[in-house]
Amino acid sequence: NAGVMQNPRHLVRRRGQEARLRCSPMKGHSHVYWYRQLPEEGLKFMVYLQKENIIDESGMPKERFSAEFPKEGPSILRIQQVVRGDSAAYFCASSPQGGPGTQYFGPGTRLLVL
Amino acid sequence: TQLLEQSPQFLSIQEGENLTVYCNSSSVFSSLQWYRQEPGEGPVLLVTVVTGGEVKKLKRLTFQFGDARKDSSLHITAAQPGDTGLYLCAGESGTASKLTFGTGTRLQVTL
């Protein structure tokens, strides 16, 4: 049973470019969460999605960041016009159900903005 | 804003020693999860505790959820070098689903 998959594992972008991070949840999981880990900081919640719905985006920056989880295909975290402060590790987690439960994390995408 | 404070922040011990990591908050959580994270990898789930006072054991690791569901502890018996890593507690509240992560405890076990 494959775990949560994320790609790419490493992504380098220049300031002003777009970054697209992909997350495929575990088989049977329909709930996806994105977290960001800034250098020397803890993991912070960004957004919670179900298929075709954003449930909670209270942790998303107001501008340049968006997320989707289409009916088919992986969840995408999109960062437009990246800045150096966006450099971080971005982790996706999935769970089989919403509400209190267990989240399983992917290996993360390390984004470096030059 | 919910906060989870972990202590100690850093811990360096020798193989065979015992240790306890604490995770404290002023907020009540419906569940609490412990993860271990290796450099360059994602957090790996160790355990989920749900009931106040609950104790779970995973080989040499013992996890306890406080009676009031505001705090938790992780005790490792006879630590081994393979236990080295960043230990994270994470709390979940009601139906909010999002996890609030603790500040982390970085453990190093030497021979």
Side-chain angles (χ1 to χ4, degrees):
Chain A
N1 185 18
V4 178
M5 300 179 70
Q6 290 188 247
N7 67 82
R9 291 291 306 272
H10 300 273
L11 183 61
V12 180
R13 286 287 180 265
R14 296 190 181 280
R15 281 179 295 170
Q17 291 184 320
E18 179 180 285
R20 281 190 179 229
L21 288 61
R22 296 175 191 78
C23 168
S24 296
M26 287 179 71
K27 186 176 181 179
H29 289 193
S30 59
H31 298 256
V32 165
Y33 312 80
W34 286 93
Y35 294 82
R36 178 166 65 174
Q37 189 172 38
L38 291 166
E40 303 305 321
E41 291 189 22
L43 281 144
K44 304 288 186 194
F45 168 80
M46 298 181 75
V47 63
Y48 162 35
L49 310 104
Q50 292 179 35
K51 288 281 188 181
E52 301 183 280
N53 284 304
I54 296 174
I55 307 303
D56 181 353
E57 56 182 347
S58 59
M60 286 279 271
K62 293 288 185 277
E63 298 176 347
R64 302 186 298 108
F65 285 72
S66 62
E68 62 176 4
F69 189 15
K71 187 176 180 181
E72 301 291 337
S75 175
I76 307 285
L77 179 67
R78 183 183 178 204
I79 311 172
Q80 295 178 291
Q81 298 176 320
V82 295
V83 300
R84 288 201 174 130
D86 296 332
S87 295
Y90 292 82
F91 293 97
C92 165
S94 73
S95 71
Q97 61 191 33
T102 298
Q103 296 181 23
Y104 296 90
F105 282 77
T109 293
R110 273 120 191 109
L111 172 65
L112 176 62
V113 180
L114 301 176
Chain B
T1 302
Q2 296 175 314
L3 291 173
L4 275 168
E5 295 286 339
Q6 285 185 238
S7 62
Q9 191 175 358
F10 299 99
L11 191 55
S12 181
I13 61 172
Q14 290 191 316
E15 183 180 19
E17 291 185 36
N18 302 332
L19 67 117
T20 301
V21 176
Y22 299 94
C23 174
N24 295 298
S25 176
S26 58
S27 303
V28 175
F29 293 99
S30 56
S31 72
L32 195 135
Q33 300 168 28
W34 283 92
Y35 294 85
R36 187 171 79 192
Q37 186 178 20
E38 306 283 349
E41 297 295 329
V44 175
L45 179 71
L46 297 174
V47 77
T48 300
V49 286
V50 179
T51 307
E54 183 176 4
V55 176
K56 280 192 174 179
K57 291 193 175 185
L58 183 66
K59 297 182 180 178
R60 293 177 293 101
L61 279 60
T62 302
F63 304 86
Q64 184 164 8
F65 201 12
D67 291 340
R69 292 186 289 140
K70 293 183 179 180
D71 53 84
S72 181
S73 64
L74 158 60
H75 182 78
I76 302 178
T77 303
Q80 298 177 1
D83 296 328
T84 294
L86 176 65
Y87 288 82
L88 298 164
C89 63
E92 190 171 21
S93 300
T95 58
S97 287
K98 60 187 178 185
L99 292 176
T100 298
F101 275 86
T103 47
T105 295
R106 196 166 295 278
L107 172 65
Q108 183 172 31
V109 183
T110 56
L111 293 170

